Structure formats: structure tokens, C-alpha cells
Amino acid sequence: MTSTFKGLITGVALAFFALPAFARDITIDLAGEPSSLDPHLQWNPDSYYVYRNVFDNVVTRNNAGEIVPQLATEWEQVSDTELVLTIRDDVTFHDGEPLEPSDVVYSVLRITNPDFASPQLGQFNQIIGAAVVDGNKVKLTTDGPYPALMAQLVKLSVVPEHVVEAVGNEAFNATPLGSGPYTFEEWDRGVSVTLARNDAYWGEAGPFDKAIFRAVPDAATRVADLQAGTADLVVSIDADAGAQLASNPNVKVLSAPTERVGYVGLNLDKPPFNNLEMRKAASLAIDRLGITEGLLQAGEVPMAQMASPAHFGYNPDLPLFEYDPDMAREIVAANADLAQTPATLATAPVFDQRIVQAVQQMLNDVGFNVSISMTDMPTYLGIARSEPAENSELSFGRWSCACQDADGIAYPTLHSDSAWSRVNVPELDELLEKARVSLDPAVRQDAYNKVSQIVRDNYYLLPMYQAAVLYGEPPIWNSSQRPTKACSSTA
């Protein structure tokens, strides 16, 4: 994506569009409130959409998907385990203080500190050292070769050491301060977050005076807001809403594939899914093709692995999971007492609840006893990272690393040392670690092929589909039609 508007657009995985010249503010309806605005303490879209405008990253990607400079203007792999980054010398934080190479080092050490407990730790914990060298250069040292390092640095935001250390993590999250094209202005909890354009930005200026991100959990309300002109952009709409919007000549509905994989997570330590036959029955009961073609209808593709064609490490030869509800019923009937163990399916408003409800119905139709637990996103994320005894039996999620490498999706969801993983299989750990450090693409691909096959054979997770994004672009108003300011949240 281009450097301007990188969060408002890149964050929601949209193509750039032009609003009329008189459009001075933009109002965006999100599915939920950000769980955090500290870029090192989040792992969900609603947070990313907002904070990506406030902070710059070490590097970024252009429209062609290539890694290009942002805070780092150039880089050199000086050895198998050492990467040297040259940091821009013309960047200031929003308080006017210069962004120093030491801030990059601080950000790396902060997010890789186990005591800080970043949800993104598994993406960066191969980095074991960071130091300023030769004035404006930063050297990163990894624990062995790490071919995915540059891809991971695409999403590493740089925070100001002098601010974080002065105010503490909690206060910094409440009033984030970065170096990006928009400055934080207000967080009206449960309602909206407002950002203002940073006129002193070192790069291309943001196109809007203000950006208002509203929490609107109800999808129908988001659609109504767009049609009424009280929202300029809405995210997380489904095919039914898309069809409704398509009838409006002033609204453009677009879709695009993403690198996200939608999946059903299983708690391997609690009944009934600590049993292989129960996991197999659950997989056989889920009609992935029916969900993608019958419900989603935005270009989603059934998947059998925790990677998509957008990732290095994807195995195009892995067969899809079978759909055989009759066989699922036979397996369940032979283990009826176990299958009837009450199981909770955790979800949050950001996810398409039609999918969640379809999965629940498909599982219950073959004899399981599944109920849905809807919570806000922060609570859901807490459940997903909790110890097995406290975790739900099932969860629905979509995983994306924004790195286009299987290391960023398979490692955190499958390696035993990840807080997100419910899997503890030494063979998988060994393969994931091998793929993480090898500099030979063929060795890495072979390891990921084996990982995907083991997960498929044992149903450790139930991948469902490569997600697509469906969104509505703003109506083309004339100046007399466009609201002069954003309306209050309808959340």
C-alpha cells in the first residue's frame, strides 16, 4: 500500500479509493471496539485498523506485495544471524521529539520481552538481540537463521521510549503517541476513536482532517449507516449485506482475497475433543464448501491447512477435508456419552456469526452438544490465550500474520510454546523450528508440508477457508449531501 492512509486502507485490506475533494473527515464503522491501541499489545483487526495510522513500522509493503522502506530506508543481511537496518533521520514523534534508532531497539526489546507478554511474541521471539551501531543503524540478531525476519518486521510498529517509560504501559495504551500520519485525539470507550491528521508527518500527508472509527457491532446498522451517508466506509459485511448494498447505485461493493485462514480451534486437553475420533467426527460434520459458497459468497476458498496460497509454505497438493455427516453420526453414536459432553464455541462480534451458527448446527446435527458463547473481543482474546482448563472447548477464529509466510500463521497456532496454541506435539515443534531457521526454501517447504499433513491427519485444528474481505466504499455525494461531521456511534 502507499504510505498515505496506510492504516485506514491497509489496515482493512482495501484498495485505495478517492473521495470527493470536499471530503474533509472520514467515518469508519468497525465491528467492535479496539481491544488495545498499543501496537505491541493487540492481536485483532479492530485495533490494527486504528493504531496503524498512529504508528510507523520498520518496513512495509507496496501494492505489489513487495517489502519496501518505511522507518528503515535500507537493510543488509550481514550474516546468517545478523540484519543491519538503516533508520531514517528525519522522523519525529507526535510530541515533536525525534525518532531515534534507539526507539527501534527499544520497540524490538519490548515486544520480545517474555515478561511484557505481547500476544505477538511468537512472531518476533526468534530475535535475541537489538543494538544501535554506527550512528543511525540498528543491528538485529536472531537465534539462528530466520528467513521470515523481514516479513515479520512489516508489522513491527515503533513506539517512543521516552513516552512509554515516563507514563507506563497502561497510560500509553489510553493515549498512544507515534510517528504516523495521524495523531491520537480521543478514545470514547465503547463508542469511537478519533484521529487527526499529522501535518508534520515526514511522509505523504493523510488525505483527511480527521478519521473517526466507530464501534458498530450490528452488521445491519453498519450497512444502514453507509446507505444513509453517516459512515464513509464499513468493514466486516457479509454476502447478504453486499447484495443489499449492490442495489444502491451510489455504493460500490468490492471483495478481495486475504491471507487470513478461518478455522475452528479445538481444546485438545478437555473432552470431547481430546479424543481423536471426536475431532474427526467434528471435521466430517462441517461442510466447508457449503459455508464458502452458500453463506460467504465473496470468493472464499476451502482450506485444509493453516496457510493460504498467499503464504510461502502453502501445500497445494494437500487434499481438502472430507464432508461426510453420516460417517460423523456413526462415530458420535459409538461414543455417545463423550460426544454429549457440553462444549462451548467461543466467538466475538467481529466474526461472521452465520458461520459460527452454521458450525454449531452442523456439529449438533451429528450428535454433539455445542453452545455458542459470544463475548467482546478483549474477552474473547483472553479466552483464546488462557490455560487449557480455562479455555473453551471450541473457538472460531481467523488468523493472519500480515507476513505472507507460514511461520507467522503455523508457528503461533501450532507450536507448544505459543500462548495461542492448544497443541503440544514434539514432532510438530521440531518441524516448525526447522522451517523457521532453514535458509533453504526447499527444506522449509518440505517441513511445512509435513506439518500440514500431521495436523490434517490428527485434526489438531480444523482449517476451514481462505478468507476474502467484502466491504462497501463510500457513496459519491455532492457537497450538499455529505454530512459536515460524523454522527454519534450507533453501537
Side-chain angles (χ1 to χ4, degrees):
M1 287 296 168
T2 54
S3 60
T4 59
F5 209 37
K6 58 183 175 291
L8 300 176
I9 298 302
T10 307
V12 290
L14 312 182
F16 186 86
F17 61 85
L19 284 177
F22 53 79
R24 303 188 61 82
D25 298 345
I26 184 170
T27 299
I28 301 171
D29 280 1
L30 304 177
E33 181 179 31
S35 63
S36 169
L37 294 181
D38 183 330
H40 299 163
L41 280 177
Q42 68 78 39
W43 197 254
N44 67 95
D46 290 327
S47 293
Y48 183 84
Y49 298 157
V50 180
Y51 87 72
R52 187 63 180 90
N53 299 282
V54 177
F55 298 91
D56 286 318
N57 286 6
V58 175
V59 290
T60 189
R61 290 188 187 271
N62 61 17
N63 285 336
E66 302 162 330
I67 297 174
V68 295
Q70 191 156 84
L71 292 177
T73 59
E74 56 186 70
W75 45 90
E76 181 183 4
Q77 191 79 44
V78 297
S79 75
D80 286 353
T81 61
E82 295 174 309
L83 176 73
V84 174
L85 305 157
T86 301
I87 307 303
R88 299 185 68 96
D89 60 5
D90 59 349
V91 179
T92 58
F93 287 111
H94 297 154
D95 61 357
E97 292 296 315
L99 185 150
E100 305 283 1
S102 58
D103 293 301
V104 177
V105 170
Y106 176 78
S107 298
V108 171
L109 297 179
R110 183 177 189 244
I111 204 168
T112 57
N113 180 358
D115 294 334
F116 182 68
S118 170
Q120 302 171 70
L121 177 61
Q123 310 287 310
F124 299 104
N125 63 357
Q126 196 68 9
I127 302 172
I128 58 173
V132 176
V133 295
D134 299 330
N136 69 329
K137 298 181 185 296
V138 169
K139 182 172 72 174
L140 302 182
T141 304
T142 56
D143 185 13
Y146 188 33
L149 178 58
M150 287 302 301
Q152 298 289 22
L153 292 177
V154 166
K155 57 181 182 289
L156 180 59
S157 297
V158 174
V159 301
E161 178 179 9
H162 68 280
V163 175
V164 178
E165 288 300 305
V167 304
N169 295 330
E170 185 175 345
F172 183 71
N173 177 52
T175 55
L177 186 148
S179 63
Y182 285 83
T183 64
F184 173 81
E185 189 169 279
E186 181 185 18
W187 187 354
D188 186 359
R189 298 286 180 146
V191 179
S192 64
V193 178
T194 301
L195 307 181
R197 182 170 55 209
N198 173 19
D199 291 326
Y201 186 53
W202 61 269
E204 189 175 352
F208 303 102
D209 288 346
K210 289 185 185 294
I212 301 96
F213 295 83
R214 303 188 305 192
V216 186
D218 182 64
T221 303
R222 294 197 295 276
V223 171
D225 286 349
L226 185 64
Q227 291 184 311
T230 58
D232 299 306
L233 182 66
V234 300
V235 301
S236 301
I237 61 175
D238 59 34
D240 292 341
Q244 179 183 346
L245 289 172
S247 64
N248 185 334
N250 294 321
V251 177
K252 184 183 293 185
V253 180
L254 299 175
S255 68
T258 74
E259 63 170 278
R260 287 196 187 104
V261 175
Y263 68 101
V264 174
L266 304 171
N267 190 329
L268 305 181
D269 291 278
K270 293 171 68 175
F273 301 111
N274 58 351
N275 179 279
L276 173 60
E277 287 297 294
M278 293 295 93
R279 299 197 298 272
K280 179 179 179 179
S283 181
L284 290 168
I286 297 175
D287 183 0
R288 293 165 175 82
L289 186 62
I291 287 174
T292 57
E293 294 187 353
L295 283 180
L296 296 173
Q297 302 176 1
E300 293 83 1
V301 179
M303 285 289 119
Q305 56 195 293
M306 290 304 289
S308 76
H311 295 87
F312 174 85
Y314 172 75
N315 179 5
D317 300 321
L318 189 72
L320 295 175
F321 287 99
E322 300 89 354
Y323 170 56
D324 191 336
D326 290 334
M327 182 179 293
R329 290 187 186 93
E330 291 179 9
I331 295 173
V332 167
N335 302 271
D337 290 344
L338 181 58
Q340 274 295 298
T341 303
T344 297
L345 173 57
T347 184
V350 70
F351 304 124
D352 188 334
Q353 295 309 302
R354 300 174 308 158
I355 304 172
V356 177
Q357 292 162 8
V359 168
Q360 178 201 28
Q361 180 177 336
M362 291 171 182
L363 293 176
N364 288 345
D365 281 350
V366 302
F368 287 103
N369 180 15
V370 176
S371 60
I372 294 173
S373 174
M374 167 78 83
T375 63
D376 59 36
M377 196 63 177
T379 302
Y380 168 88
L381 294 172
I383 293 171
R385 300 180 69 216
S386 64
E387 293 299 319
E390 301 169 2
N391 209 306
S392 59
E393 288 76 19
L394 297 161
S395 61
F396 176 78
R398 295 189 309 249
W399 195 279
S400 171
C401 66
C403 63
Q404 300 179 16
D405 192 290
D407 177 75
I409 189 167
Y411 193 98
T413 58
L414 296 170
H415 196 281
S416 63
D417 73 358
S418 169
W420 299 100
S421 172
R422 300 278 73 84
V423 184
N424 187 356
V425 178
E427 183 181 7
L428 282 179
D429 286 353
E430 182 179 348
L431 287 167
L432 290 167
E433 291 161 8
K434 181 179 183 180
R436 170 167 268 205
V437 302
S438 175
L439 296 177
D440 186 339
V443 170
R444 299 188 74 219
Q445 184 66 59
D446 179 68
Y448 285 126
N449 289 348
K450 291 176 180 175
V451 166
S452 296
Q453 189 66 58
I454 291 170
V455 173
R456 189 190 183 285
D457 291 345
N458 292 276
Y459 307 95
Y460 290 134
L461 284 176
L462 302 183
M464 293 179 62
Y465 59 88
Q466 177 188 11
V469 63
L470 189 66
Y471 62 95
E473 280 193 351
I476 306 303
W477 291 297
N478 61 47
S479 58
S480 64
Q481 291 173 312
R482 191 179 190 282
T484 57
K485 61 181 180 178
C487 297
S488 60
S489 172
T490 54

